[in-house]
Amino acid sequence: MSVDVSVPLLQTTGLSVRYGGVVANDDITLRVGASEIVGLIGPNGAGKTTFVDAVTGFTRSTGGILLDGETVEQHPPHRRRHEGLARTWQAGELFSDLTVTQNLAVAVQRPGIRTLIADTLGRSTPPHETIAAALTMVGLDNVADRRPTELSLGQQKLVGVARALVGGTQVVLLDEPAAGLDTHESRHFGTELRRIADTGVGVLLIDHDMSLVLEVCDRLYVLDFGQMIAEGTPEEIRNDPRVIAAYLGGPDVPPTPDDERTLS
Ligand code: ATP
């Protein structure tokens, strides 16, 4: 059913997360390969953000998490980030009073007394090369000195992605990065995601914009009530009765053009 990924950059095995009586992720096994864009979709409350939180270390989980073959599930979030596992947040606003470059610098500056002293003395040295490389990856070299308010919404969203790409990111987990974009912006965003993946980065994409995910993803996983109910190519997912049922609330209900949760 699924495309084989022989050497996954990210692999979870039997990953589970419990919030009290709620099993938000139940035994999730998922792989993201180098240069792959993998979608993670599912209705509201299915457990998608929980999965990102668990993989990046922001919530407790059980099961295995391998980054490029190395076990990372015991590592704290900042260590996983340093090892190449990065994410965006649903409310990923940029600092409006900082330039694009400064927004990216904030993301990679290490907390601690040395940074504080260097900042105080005006001697902090943001890693300009890695920041420039991240902006190139999202096609935004020309806005490095602008402030977010001077950019289009689509550009702002891409700066958010660039922020997660700074500093040797191997796998990036994008939690609804295209929310609020119109069709044209969303299509451009998808093109830029492909450009990022083509550099060798593995991309996990969560988004409710079905045309974006079905168009841009190589493979998709579908969560419902914390469980993985389907995995496959966009074509397989589009036609999977379990997926249609999960989105539309019943196996006998065909998708209609008016239904927001329709898969096309
Ligand atoms: P959406 O598409 O709306 O963002 P989602 O698929 O990302 O939803 P999650 O936010 O991961 O879903 O939520 C999965 C389940 O876990 C839901 O039942 C939610 O109420 C519950 N949940 C999420 N975070 C917590 C938390 N911190 N404490 C308790 N329950 C939580």
Side-chain angles (χ1 to χ4, degrees), residues 81 92-95 98-110 125-141 143-146 148 151 155-167:
R81 174 69 173 92
E93 282 91 8
L94 305 170
F95 297 108
L98 299 182
T99 65
V100 166
T101 294
Q102 288 166 338
N103 265 279
L104 267 60
V106 169
V108 277
Q109 243 150 25
R110 292 178 138 202
T125 50
H128 285 296
E129 280 174 23
T130 52
I131 289 172
L135 288 175
T136 301
M137 282 170 85
V138 299
L140 286 181
D141 314 74
V143 301
D145 298 324
R146 303 251 190 96
L151 308 182
Q155 288 174 317
Q156 291 177 35
K157 299 280 182 188
L158 287 168
V159 173
V161 175
R163 195 163 53 176
L165 292 172
V166 181

Short mmCIF file of all heavy atoms in Angstrom, two decimals, residues 81 92-95 98-110 125-141 143-146 148 151 155-167:
data_model
loop_
_atom_site.label_atom_id
_atom_site.label_comp_id
_atom_site.label_asym_id
_atom_site.label_seq_id
_atom_site.Cartn_x
_atom_site.Cartn_y
_atom_site.Cartn_z
N ARG A 81 16.17 19.37 19.18
CA ARG A 81 16.28 20.47 18.20
C ARG A 81 17.72 20.58 17.70
O ARG A 81 17.96 20.72 16.51
CB ARG A 81 15.83 21.77 18.89
CG ARG A 81 16.01 23.04 18.04
CD ARG A 81 15.06 23.03 16.85
NE ARG A 81 15.08 24.28 16.10
CZ ARG A 81 15.87 24.50 15.05
NH1 ARG A 81 16.73 23.58 14.65
NH2 ARG A 81 15.78 25.64 14.40
N GLY A 92 2.29 30.40 15.55
CA GLY A 92 3.71 30.69 15.33
C GLY A 92 3.98 32.10 14.88
O GLY A 92 4.67 32.34 13.89
N GLU A 93 3.43 33.06 15.63
CA GLU A 93 3.62 34.46 15.21
C GLU A 93 5.10 34.86 15.26
O GLU A 93 5.86 34.38 16.09
CB GLU A 93 2.83 35.41 16.12
CG GLU A 93 1.36 35.47 15.80
CD GLU A 93 0.59 34.44 16.60
OE1 GLU A 93 1.21 33.83 17.49
OE2 GLU A 93 -0.59 34.24 16.32
N LEU A 94 5.43 35.78 14.37
CA LEU A 94 6.79 36.33 14.34
C LEU A 94 6.83 37.56 15.26
O LEU A 94 5.81 38.15 15.55
CB LEU A 94 7.16 36.72 12.91
CG LEU A 94 7.01 35.61 11.87
CD1 LEU A 94 7.15 36.18 10.47
CD2 LEU A 94 8.04 34.51 12.12
N PHE A 95 8.04 37.94 15.67
CA PHE A 95 8.21 39.17 16.43
C PHE A 95 8.12 40.33 15.44
O PHE A 95 8.99 40.48 14.57
CB PHE A 95 9.56 39.18 17.15
CG PHE A 95 9.69 38.08 18.17
CD1 PHE A 95 10.51 36.99 17.95
CD2 PHE A 95 8.99 38.15 19.37
CE1 PHE A 95 10.63 35.98 18.89
CE2 PHE A 95 9.11 37.13 20.33
CZ PHE A 95 9.92 36.05 20.08
N LEU A 98 11.10 42.91 15.11
CA LEU A 98 12.41 42.41 14.68
C LEU A 98 12.40 42.19 13.17
O LEU A 98 11.35 41.92 12.59
CB LEU A 98 12.74 41.08 15.36
CG LEU A 98 12.82 41.07 16.90
CD1 LEU A 98 13.20 39.66 17.38
CD2 LEU A 98 13.83 42.08 17.40
N THR A 99 13.57 42.26 12.56
CA THR A 99 13.65 41.94 11.14
C THR A 99 13.52 40.43 10.96
O THR A 99 13.58 39.67 11.93
CB THR A 99 15.01 42.37 10.54
OG1 THR A 99 16.02 41.58 11.16
CG2 THR A 99 15.28 43.84 10.74
N VAL A 100 13.39 40.02 9.71
CA VAL A 100 13.31 38.59 9.41
C VAL A 100 14.57 37.87 9.92
O VAL A 100 14.49 36.82 10.59
CB VAL A 100 13.13 38.39 7.89
CG1 VAL A 100 13.39 36.95 7.49
CG2 VAL A 100 11.75 38.83 7.47
N THR A 101 15.73 38.45 9.65
CA THR A 101 16.98 37.83 10.12
C THR A 101 17.00 37.71 11.64
O THR A 101 17.36 36.66 12.18
CB THR A 101 18.20 38.67 9.66
OG1 THR A 101 18.27 38.60 8.24
CG2 THR A 101 19.50 38.13 10.25
N GLN A 102 16.57 38.77 12.31
CA GLN A 102 16.56 38.73 13.77
C GLN A 102 15.57 37.70 14.29
O GLN A 102 15.83 37.02 15.29
CB GLN A 102 16.23 40.13 14.33
CG GLN A 102 17.37 41.11 14.14
CD GLN A 102 16.93 42.56 14.38
OE1 GLN A 102 15.75 42.89 14.28
NE2 GLN A 102 17.91 43.41 14.67
N ASN A 103 14.42 37.55 13.60
CA ASN A 103 13.46 36.52 14.00
C ASN A 103 14.07 35.13 13.94
O ASN A 103 13.82 34.28 14.78
CB ASN A 103 12.22 36.58 13.11
CG ASN A 103 11.10 37.42 13.71
OD1 ASN A 103 10.36 36.95 14.56
ND2 ASN A 103 11.01 38.66 13.27
N LEU A 104 14.90 34.91 12.91
CA LEU A 104 15.54 33.60 12.77
C LEU A 104 16.68 33.43 13.79
O LEU A 104 16.90 32.35 14.31
CB LEU A 104 16.07 33.40 11.35
CG LEU A 104 15.11 32.70 10.39
CD1 LEU A 104 13.81 33.46 10.22
CD2 LEU A 104 15.76 32.45 9.04
N ALA A 105 17.36 34.55 14.08
CA ALA A 105 18.47 34.49 15.04
C ALA A 105 17.96 34.10 16.42
O ALA A 105 18.59 33.30 17.12
CB ALA A 105 19.19 35.83 15.10
N VAL A 106 16.81 34.64 16.78
CA VAL A 106 16.23 34.32 18.09
C VAL A 106 16.01 32.82 18.22
O VAL A 106 16.21 32.23 19.28
CB VAL A 106 14.89 35.09 18.28
CG1 VAL A 106 14.14 34.58 19.50
CG2 VAL A 106 15.16 36.58 18.39
N ALA A 107 15.62 32.21 17.11
CA ALA A 107 15.31 30.78 17.15
C ALA A 107 16.53 29.91 17.40
O ALA A 107 16.43 28.81 17.92
CB ALA A 107 14.65 30.36 15.83
N VAL A 108 17.70 30.40 17.03
CA VAL A 108 18.89 29.54 17.18
C VAL A 108 19.82 29.96 18.30
O VAL A 108 20.75 29.23 18.63
CB VAL A 108 19.73 29.47 15.88
CG1 VAL A 108 19.18 28.46 14.94
CG2 VAL A 108 19.93 30.80 15.24
N GLN A 109 19.54 31.13 18.88
CA GLN A 109 20.44 31.53 19.97
C GLN A 109 20.18 30.66 21.18
O GLN A 109 19.04 30.46 21.57
CB GLN A 109 20.23 33.01 20.32
CG GLN A 109 21.50 33.78 20.04
CD GLN A 109 21.24 35.21 19.65
OE1 GLN A 109 20.21 35.76 20.02
NE2 GLN A 109 22.12 35.79 18.91
N ARG A 110 21.23 30.14 21.75
CA ARG A 110 21.09 29.24 22.88
C ARG A 110 20.84 30.05 24.14
O ARG A 110 21.51 31.04 24.38
CB ARG A 110 22.36 28.42 23.05
CG ARG A 110 22.56 27.46 21.92
CD ARG A 110 23.83 26.72 22.08
NE ARG A 110 23.63 25.32 21.75
CZ ARG A 110 24.39 24.35 22.18
NH1 ARG A 110 25.39 24.59 22.98
NH2 ARG A 110 24.15 23.11 21.83
N THR A 125 26.74 37.10 18.22
CA THR A 125 26.99 36.89 16.79
C THR A 125 26.02 35.88 16.23
O THR A 125 26.26 34.67 16.28
CB THR A 125 28.43 36.36 16.57
OG1 THR A 125 28.61 35.25 17.45
CG2 THR A 125 29.46 37.42 16.81
N PRO A 126 24.87 36.35 15.72
CA PRO A 126 23.91 35.41 15.12
C PRO A 126 24.57 34.68 13.95
O PRO A 126 25.36 35.28 13.22
CB PRO A 126 22.79 36.31 14.62
CG PRO A 126 23.00 37.64 15.22
CD PRO A 126 24.44 37.73 15.62
N PRO A 127 24.29 33.44 13.78
CA PRO A 127 24.91 32.67 12.71
C PRO A 127 24.36 33.05 11.34
O PRO A 127 23.46 32.42 10.82
CB PRO A 127 24.54 31.23 13.08
CG PRO A 127 23.30 31.35 13.89
CD PRO A 127 23.31 32.68 14.55
N HIS A 128 24.93 34.13 10.79
CA HIS A 128 24.39 34.71 9.56
C HIS A 128 24.31 33.71 8.40
O HIS A 128 23.38 33.73 7.63
CB HIS A 128 25.23 35.92 9.14
CG HIS A 128 24.97 37.11 10.00
ND1 HIS A 128 23.75 37.75 10.05
CD2 HIS A 128 25.75 37.77 10.90
CE1 HIS A 128 23.78 38.75 10.92
NE2 HIS A 128 24.99 38.78 11.45
N GLU A 129 25.33 32.86 8.31
CA GLU A 129 25.34 31.94 7.17
C GLU A 129 24.19 30.95 7.24
O GLU A 129 23.55 30.66 6.22
CB GLU A 129 26.67 31.18 7.12
CG GLU A 129 27.75 32.02 6.51
CD GLU A 129 29.12 31.35 6.59
OE1 GLU A 129 29.15 30.11 6.70
OE2 GLU A 129 30.11 32.08 6.57
N THR A 130 23.94 30.41 8.45
CA THR A 130 22.86 29.43 8.55
C THR A 130 21.51 30.11 8.37
O THR A 130 20.58 29.51 7.82
CB THR A 130 22.90 28.69 9.90
OG1 THR A 130 22.94 29.65 10.94
CG2 THR A 130 24.07 27.76 10.02
N ILE A 131 21.41 31.36 8.83
CA ILE A 131 20.16 32.09 8.64
C ILE A 131 19.92 32.35 7.15
O ILE A 131 18.83 32.13 6.63
CB ILE A 131 20.19 33.41 9.44
CG1 ILE A 131 20.09 33.09 10.93
CG2 ILE A 131 19.07 34.35 9.00
CD1 ILE A 131 20.30 34.26 11.85
N ALA A 132 20.97 32.79 6.47
CA ALA A 132 20.84 33.05 5.03
C ALA A 132 20.48 31.76 4.29
O ALA A 132 19.64 31.78 3.38
CB ALA A 132 22.15 33.63 4.50
N ALA A 133 21.08 30.67 4.71
CA ALA A 133 20.78 29.39 4.05
C ALA A 133 19.32 29.00 4.24
O ALA A 133 18.66 28.53 3.31
CB ALA A 133 21.70 28.29 4.60
N ALA A 134 18.80 29.23 5.45
CA ALA A 134 17.39 28.89 5.72
C ALA A 134 16.46 29.76 4.89
O ALA A 134 15.45 29.27 4.35
CB ALA A 134 17.09 29.04 7.21
N LEU A 135 16.80 31.04 4.75
CA LEU A 135 15.96 31.93 3.94
C LEU A 135 16.01 31.54 2.47
O LEU A 135 15.01 31.60 1.75
CB LEU A 135 16.39 33.39 4.13
CG LEU A 135 16.02 34.00 5.49
CD1 LEU A 135 16.59 35.40 5.63
CD2 LEU A 135 14.50 34.02 5.68
N THR A 136 17.19 31.10 2.02
CA THR A 136 17.30 30.63 0.63
C THR A 136 16.42 29.40 0.42
O THR A 136 15.77 29.26 -0.62
CB THR A 136 18.77 30.28 0.31
OG1 THR A 136 19.56 31.45 0.51
CG2 THR A 136 18.94 29.80 -1.13
N MET A 137 16.40 28.53 1.42
CA MET A 137 15.60 27.30 1.28
C MET A 137 14.13 27.58 1.07
O MET A 137 13.42 26.80 0.45
CB MET A 137 15.78 26.40 2.52
CG MET A 137 17.08 25.63 2.51
SD MET A 137 17.38 24.84 4.10
CE MET A 137 16.46 23.33 3.92
N VAL A 138 13.64 28.71 1.61
CA VAL A 138 12.22 29.04 1.41
C VAL A 138 12.03 30.15 0.38
O VAL A 138 10.94 30.70 0.25
CB VAL A 138 11.54 29.43 2.75
CG1 VAL A 138 11.59 28.28 3.74
CG2 VAL A 138 12.14 30.69 3.36
N GLY A 139 13.12 30.48 -0.33
CA GLY A 139 13.02 31.45 -1.43
C GLY A 139 12.82 32.88 -0.97
O GLY A 139 12.17 33.67 -1.66
N LEU A 140 13.37 33.23 0.21
CA LEU A 140 13.14 34.57 0.74
C LEU A 140 14.43 35.34 1.01
O LEU A 140 14.48 36.15 1.95
CB LEU A 140 12.33 34.48 2.06
CG LEU A 140 10.85 34.14 1.95
CD1 LEU A 140 10.21 34.12 3.34
CD2 LEU A 140 10.11 35.13 1.07
N ASP A 141 15.45 35.14 0.22
CA ASP A 141 16.71 35.86 0.42
C ASP A 141 16.52 37.37 0.44
O ASP A 141 17.21 38.10 1.14
CB ASP A 141 17.70 35.57 -0.71
CG ASP A 141 17.77 34.12 -1.05
OD1 ASP A 141 16.81 33.63 -1.67
OD2 ASP A 141 18.77 33.50 -0.69
N VAL A 143 14.23 39.32 1.58
CA VAL A 143 13.48 40.04 2.62
C VAL A 143 14.18 39.99 3.98
O VAL A 143 13.57 40.30 5.00
CB VAL A 143 12.04 39.49 2.77
CG1 VAL A 143 11.28 39.62 1.46
CG2 VAL A 143 12.04 38.05 3.27
N ALA A 144 15.45 39.64 3.98
CA ALA A 144 16.17 39.43 5.24
C ALA A 144 16.10 40.62 6.19
O ALA A 144 16.00 40.44 7.41
CB ALA A 144 17.63 39.09 4.95
N ASP A 145 16.11 41.84 5.65
CA ASP A 145 16.14 43.02 6.52
C ASP A 145 14.78 43.67 6.71
O ASP A 145 14.66 44.73 7.31
CB ASP A 145 17.13 44.05 5.94
CG ASP A 145 18.54 43.49 5.91
OD1 ASP A 145 18.88 42.74 6.85
OD2 ASP A 145 19.28 43.78 4.94
N ARG A 146 13.75 43.02 6.17
CA ARG A 146 12.40 43.58 6.34
C ARG A 146 11.79 43.10 7.66
O ARG A 146 12.21 42.11 8.23
CB ARG A 146 11.50 43.08 5.20
CG ARG A 146 12.01 43.42 3.84
CD ARG A 146 11.15 44.51 3.19
NE ARG A 146 11.52 44.65 1.81
CZ ARG A 146 10.86 44.04 0.82
NH1 ARG A 146 9.85 43.26 1.07
NH2 ARG A 146 11.25 44.23 -0.42
N PRO A 148 8.28 41.67 9.61
CA PRO A 148 7.17 40.82 9.19
C PRO A 148 5.97 41.60 8.64
O PRO A 148 5.32 41.15 7.70
CB PRO A 148 6.79 40.07 10.47
CG PRO A 148 8.07 40.01 11.24
CD PRO A 148 8.79 41.29 10.94
N LEU A 151 5.69 42.11 4.96
CA LEU A 151 5.60 40.92 4.10
C LEU A 151 4.16 40.49 3.90
O LEU A 151 3.29 40.79 4.71
CB LEU A 151 6.36 39.74 4.75
CG LEU A 151 7.81 39.99 5.18
CD1 LEU A 151 8.40 38.70 5.74
CD2 LEU A 151 8.64 40.48 4.01
N GLN A 155 4.46 35.04 2.75
CA GLN A 155 5.89 35.20 3.09
C GLN A 155 6.11 35.03 4.59
O GLN A 155 7.08 34.41 5.02
CB GLN A 155 6.38 36.57 2.63
CG GLN A 155 6.52 36.69 1.12
CD GLN A 155 6.88 38.11 0.71
OE1 GLN A 155 6.34 39.08 1.23
NE2 GLN A 155 7.82 38.24 -0.22
N GLN A 156 5.19 35.57 5.38
CA GLN A 156 5.32 35.43 6.84
C GLN A 156 5.29 33.96 7.25
O GLN A 156 6.06 33.51 8.10
CB GLN A 156 4.21 36.18 7.55
CG GLN A 156 4.31 37.69 7.43
CD GLN A 156 3.13 38.40 8.11
OE1 GLN A 156 2.62 37.96 9.13
NE2 GLN A 156 2.70 39.48 7.52
N LYS A 157 4.41 33.20 6.60
CA LYS A 157 4.32 31.77 6.92
C LYS A 157 5.63 31.08 6.56
O LYS A 157 6.10 30.18 7.27
CB LYS A 157 3.17 31.12 6.14
CG LYS A 157 1.81 31.68 6.45
CD LYS A 157 1.26 31.11 7.72
CE LYS A 157 -0.13 31.63 8.02
NZ LYS A 157 -0.61 31.23 9.34
N LEU A 158 6.23 31.48 5.45
CA LEU A 158 7.50 30.86 5.04
C LEU A 158 8.64 31.26 5.98
O LEU A 158 9.54 30.45 6.22
CB LEU A 158 7.82 31.25 3.59
CG LEU A 158 6.94 30.53 2.55
CD1 LEU A 158 7.11 31.17 1.18
CD2 LEU A 158 7.28 29.04 2.49
N VAL A 159 8.59 32.47 6.51
CA VAL A 159 9.60 32.85 7.52
C VAL A 159 9.46 31.93 8.74
O VAL A 159 10.45 31.49 9.32
CB VAL A 159 9.46 34.33 7.93
CG1 VAL A 159 10.40 34.67 9.08
CG2 VAL A 159 9.74 35.26 6.75
N GLY A 160 8.22 31.63 9.09
CA GLY A 160 7.98 30.70 10.21
C GLY A 160 8.62 29.35 9.94
O GLY A 160 9.22 28.73 10.84
N VAL A 161 8.53 28.88 8.71
CA VAL A 161 9.15 27.60 8.35
C VAL A 161 10.68 27.74 8.38
O VAL A 161 11.39 26.88 8.90
CB VAL A 161 8.67 27.13 6.96
CG1 VAL A 161 9.41 25.87 6.54
CG2 VAL A 161 7.17 26.88 6.96
N ALA A 162 11.17 28.87 7.83
CA ALA A 162 12.62 29.09 7.81
C ALA A 162 13.19 29.08 9.23
O ALA A 162 14.28 28.58 9.47
CB ALA A 162 12.94 30.42 7.13
N ARG A 163 12.42 29.62 10.15
CA ARG A 163 12.85 29.66 11.55
C ARG A 163 13.11 28.24 12.08
O ARG A 163 14.00 28.02 12.89
CB ARG A 163 11.75 30.35 12.37
CG ARG A 163 12.18 30.78 13.73
CD ARG A 163 11.23 31.79 14.30
NE ARG A 163 9.83 31.38 14.31
CZ ARG A 163 8.85 32.09 14.85
NH1 ARG A 163 9.10 33.25 15.40
NH2 ARG A 163 7.60 31.65 14.82
N ALA A 164 12.31 27.31 11.59
CA ALA A 164 12.51 25.91 12.01
C ALA A 164 13.63 25.22 11.24
O ALA A 164 14.07 24.14 11.60
CB ALA A 164 11.20 25.13 11.85
N LEU A 165 14.07 25.85 10.14
CA LEU A 165 15.10 25.20 9.31
C LEU A 165 16.52 25.63 9.67
O LEU A 165 17.49 25.02 9.23
CB LEU A 165 14.86 25.52 7.83
CG LEU A 165 13.61 24.91 7.21
CD1 LEU A 165 13.38 25.47 5.82
CD2 LEU A 165 13.72 23.38 7.17
N VAL A 166 16.63 26.68 10.48
CA VAL A 166 17.96 27.21 10.81
C VAL A 166 18.75 26.19 11.61
O VAL A 166 18.23 25.56 12.52
CB VAL A 166 17.84 28.50 11.65
CG1 VAL A 166 19.22 29.05 11.95
CG2 VAL A 166 17.05 29.53 10.92
N GLY A 167 20.00 26.00 11.20
CA GLY A 167 20.91 25.23 12.04
C GLY A 167 20.88 23.72 11.86
O GLY A 167 20.76 22.98 12.82
#
